[in-house]
Amino acid sequence: MSLYIATMFIRLGRRTRVRIPPVATCFSLLFIASQVSTQDPRGSVKPDIFATNTKYDSSFTWLERTERDKIPAEKCPHLRQCKPVHVSMLVRHGTRYPEKRIIGKIDYVVSSIRHYGSKEKDIVNVMRRWQNSFEWQDAMMLSETGKWEMEELAGRTVQRFPAVFHGAKPESLRIVSSTKNRTIDSASAFVRGICNGLKEIKAADSIKDPRKLKTEAGPHTDKLLVFLEKCKKWAEEVEGNPDALQEVSKFLEGPEVRSVLKNVTSQLGPSVLLDFSAAHLKVMWTICAMETAVYGGRSIWCDLFRPEDLQVLEYLSDLNSYWKHGYGHSVNYRPGCALLQEMLKPMEGFVSGNKSSLRGQFLFGHTDTLVALYSLLGLFKDRAPLRADNFAEHKNRVFRTSLISPFGANLALVLYKCDGVSPCDQSEQGKPTQDAPQGSQPDDPAGSKFRVMMMVNERVEQFPGWHQASCPYEVIRMLYKDVLEHCEDWCNMSGEKSHPEL
């Protein structure tokens, strides 16, 4: 933990145009280590969560990271007689730099503060000295933090499922990416992590050279991994339709956002209020988030916001994700059926006895890819839709992108081959379950040899409609029968289909 923070401190010096003298660096690292050593391991607060701009590790508490990094051999007792044979994983790219649009707006906001801010305010004087370290040529590129996230995630995946990777050959691992630079670079870092992980488990007969693992990226992979960008129907009905995001607009103009604006401008001086709007707030919140994620530590811009302010701005971002990529409209997620089919396809080979099937499939996409797939699967669905008027009701919502879709977020489907039915399976039959995606809960097929465990951000997650941490493969086909059998071209159809929604 302390080594990681120390590393990020050095990287900060490299990226922010500030040369850190070696002696000063040593004293700084000693100070950081002393702070880490006195941290309360029972702490459960996640202070640095900023919706989809959250660094991967910040979505975990200290204790959760500790448990995660132990890499237990088996978390699910009812899989004792089963062996993992395939992993299919969808991964959001790691922490990236902000887009050019935001970099330009940062300069405008800083200029406004310097021009209108009160000299009597300490925070204004700090802002006057602040330098924008985000450079145009880095816009939307994967950061060093993002590369580290991908390498570490890959290493933990290998150590968590060594049976899948022992003896793996280049042709038995498939790496697929969208054509965006940040996903291609994430895939490359992940491959390096796989090779490092293979060394850790002493898999001498496995892949040693990362160059042997090729990444697929092209128009066909974009259709799979950035399907909303390629979806004409979504572009017309959601992205280009102001009414589709009216809840976001209402919240922007509501009392919660006005309260945040009032608090922030009061810290900068009364004349700032004449020039500032909610759009400025979002930029300042983004600077706070991106500096914290990319460089580590905590950005000075975060000091402008109270904890309740950050919750409001996080909810604003979640509203946008909900209505633009998630449950808000069926066209947001129904086109993702092709992606689900792709993730399940290699498993069919194992179930049918094809020993040449892929051992691992790793697909690299974006936050809209993850959020849409979550919605298609029925995950993280609150009882009431997210709206502008129910912020208070959703303080403890499950659709919280800070936790489910941070940078580096991932969803893994792990196929197990079982020698027999565990007594745990039989004793758990008939337990109450969550609402199923459709219809009533299916029965557990007798003698099922293949089960699937789902993990979201390295945490075991139940399939909605099922009562155990793993699910027979045949049951998954039943749970998502409608999705898998009616995977029409949702993006070009003229009207809504009559098939029931999840």
Side-chain angles (χ1 to χ4, degrees), residues 11-167:
R11 287 173 178 167
L12 171 62
R14 291 173 180 169
R15 292 288 310 161
T16 54
R17 307 171 186 165
V18 178
R19 183 178 180 275
I20 303 176
V23 175
T25 301
C26 292
F27 280 114
S28 299
L29 297 185
L30 286 172
F31 172 76
I32 292 170
S34 69
Q35 295 302 303
V36 172
S37 64
T38 58
Q39 184 176 6
D40 183 0
R42 296 169 299 175
S44 60
V45 179
K46 299 184 178 81
D48 296 328
I49 54 176
F50 306 100
T52 58
N53 288 331
T54 301
K55 184 171 63 175
Y56 185 63
D57 267 3
S58 294
S59 68
F60 295 82
T61 64
W62 187 92
L63 188 58
E64 286 171 340
R65 284 198 299 272
T66 301
E67 292 299 313
R68 177 198 72 187
D69 295 345
K70 287 180 181 176
I71 315 293
E74 188 53 74
K75 288 187 175 182
C76 302
H78 56 280
L79 290 175
R80 290 192 195 103
Q81 299 180 39
C82 306
K83 175 184 177 182
V85 293
H86 173 81
V87 177
S88 195
M89 182 182 286
L90 174 64
V91 185
R92 184 191 175 193
H93 59 78
T95 298
R96 58 160 174 77
Y97 295 106
E99 58 265 44
K100 288 183 178 179
R101 177 179 59 87
I102 291 295
I103 294 174
K105 287 184 176 181
I106 289 174
D107 292 334
Y108 174 76
V109 168
V110 172
S111 176
S112 296
I113 290 174
R114 288 171 178 164
H115 184 73
Y116 293 108
S118 299
K119 294 181 180 179
E120 296 78 16
K121 303 282 187 178
D122 290 341
I123 191 71
V124 172
N125 292 323
V126 171
M127 297 303 175
R128 289 179 189 277
R129 295 190 297 271
W130 181 83
Q131 295 293 319
N132 184 2
S133 59
F134 297 121
E135 300 175 355
W136 291 91
Q137 64 268 27
D138 291 335
M140 300 297 278
M141 301 294 287
L142 189 69
S143 69
E144 290 299 314
T145 300
K147 294 174 185 176
W148 182 87
E149 288 168 338
M150 293 294 101
E151 289 182 25
E152 293 294 304
L153 174 62
R156 289 193 299 271
T157 302
V158 171
Q159 292 182 51
R160 188 170 283 121
F161 306 109
V164 172
F165 293 91
H166 259 300

Side-chain angles (χ1 to χ4, degrees), residues 317-333:
S317 181
D318 282 353
L319 270 178
N320 188 71
S321 293
Y322 185 92
W323 290 97
K324 192 172 184 178
H325 303 136
Y327 287 109
H329 307 284
S330 60
V331 72
N332 291 341
Y333 54 85

Side-chain angles (χ1 to χ4, degrees), residues 390-409:
N390 62 3
F391 165 66
E393 177 185 341
H394 284 302
K395 286 289 183 68
N396 296 313
R397 63 192 176 277
V398 293
F399 188 93
R400 192 167 195 172
T401 56
S402 297
L403 307 183
I404 65 175
S405 190
F407 290 122

Side-chain angles (χ1 to χ4, degrees), residues 430-441:
K431 281 192 174 183
T433 181
Q434 306 174 43
D435 292 335
Q438 54 178 321
S440 59
Q441 177 188 325

Side-chain angles (χ1 to χ4, degrees), residues 20 49 66 79 140 153 196 228 236 244 292 334 351 368 496:
I20 303 176
I49 54 176
T66 301
L79 290 175
M140 300 297 278
L153 174 62
N196 292 336
L228 289 183
E236 292 176 352
T292 299
R334 286 302 296 235
V351 174
D368 51 308
E496 291 292 342

Side-chain angles (χ1 to χ4, degrees), residues 147-433:
K147 294 174 185 176
W148 182 87
E149 288 168 338
M150 293 294 101
E151 289 182 25
E152 293 294 304
L153 174 62
R156 289 193 299 271
T157 302
V158 171
Q159 292 182 51
R160 188 170 283 121
F161 306 109
V164 172
F165 293 91
H166 259 300
K169 304 300 179 185
E171 60 270 19
S172 65
L173 300 177
R174 183 185 183 212
I175 314 295
V176 184
S177 168
S178 76
T179 56
K180 310 290 186 182
N181 286 334
R182 55 193 179 277
T183 48
I184 292 175
D185 290 344
S186 292
S188 297
F190 193 89
V191 166
R192 289 195 299 273
I194 288 177
C195 293
N196 292 336
L198 289 171
K199 293 175 185 176
E200 290 291 325
I201 63 172
K202 296 180 172 55
D205 57 343
S206 298
I207 302 162
K208 298 179 181 179
D209 187 352
R211 290 172 297 183
K212 292 183 178 180
L213 283 172
K214 303 296 184 182
T215 300
E216 296 178 37
H220 66 294
T221 64
D222 276 351
K223 188 175 181 181
L224 189 70
L225 293 167
V226 284
F227 51 82
L228 289 183
E229 280 189 14
K230 306 298 178 183
C231 184
K232 180 180 178 182
K233 183 177 176 64
W234 176 81
E236 292 176 352
E237 296 187 3
V238 178
E239 188 177 40
N241 179 11
D243 292 339
L245 301 178
Q246 60 179 323
E247 295 299 326
V248 181
S249 301
K250 289 178 183 177
F251 194 72
L252 264 173
E253 299 168 0
E256 293 88 358
V257 173
R258 285 200 301 270
S259 175
V260 178
L261 184 60
K262 182 179 179 181
N263 170 57
V264 171
T265 53
S266 69
Q267 298 182 65
L268 300 175
S271 57
V272 172
L273 186 60
L274 302 174
D275 189 60
F276 266 43
S277 66
H280 294 84
L281 275 184
K282 290 200 293 184
V283 174
M284 289 188 283
W285 180 69
T286 301
I287 304 172
C288 159
M290 297 304 290
E291 278 202 327
T292 299
V294 171
Y295 301 128
R298 189 169 172 84
S299 169
I300 187 65
W301 287 84
C302 299
D303 293 343
L304 286 167
F305 303 102
R306 302 167 298 187
E308 56 266 36
D309 296 338
L310 294 175
Q311 291 176 15
V312 168
L313 295 173
E314 182 193 20
Y315 188 71
L316 174 63
S317 181
D318 282 353
L319 270 178
N320 188 71
S321 293
Y322 185 92
W323 290 97
K324 192 172 184 178
H325 303 136
Y327 287 109
H329 307 284
S330 60
V331 72
N332 291 341
Y333 54 85
R334 286 302 296 235
C337 61
L339 177 58
L340 180 59
Q341 287 179 333
E342 194 75 13
M343 295 184 74
L344 294 176
K345 189 185 299 181
M347 299 183 187
E348 289 284 356
F350 285 95
V351 174
S352 63
N354 181 3
K355 294 184 179 181
S356 64
S357 296
L358 288 173
R359 292 191 180 196
Q361 176 173 239
F362 306 95
L363 305 105
F364 294 84
H366 306 263
T367 184
D368 51 308
T369 322
L370 262 295
V371 170
L373 186 62
Y374 292 151
S375 302
L376 186 72
L377 292 172
L379 295 169
F380 312 117
K381 187 174 185 179
D382 294 277
R383 292 189 178 276
L386 273 62
R387 299 191 309 269
D389 62 357
N390 62 3
F391 165 66
E393 177 185 341
H394 284 302
K395 286 289 183 68
N396 296 313
R397 63 192 176 277
V398 293
F399 188 93
R400 192 167 195 172
T401 56
S402 297
L403 307 183
I404 65 175
S405 190
F407 290 122
N410 51 90
L411 182 149
L413 300 179
V414 187
L415 182 70
Y416 285 79
K417 185 176 181 181
C418 306
D419 294 329
V421 181
S422 166
C424 292
D425 291 338
Q426 296 172 349
S427 65
E428 291 183 0
Q429 292 296 324
K431 281 192 174 183
T433 181

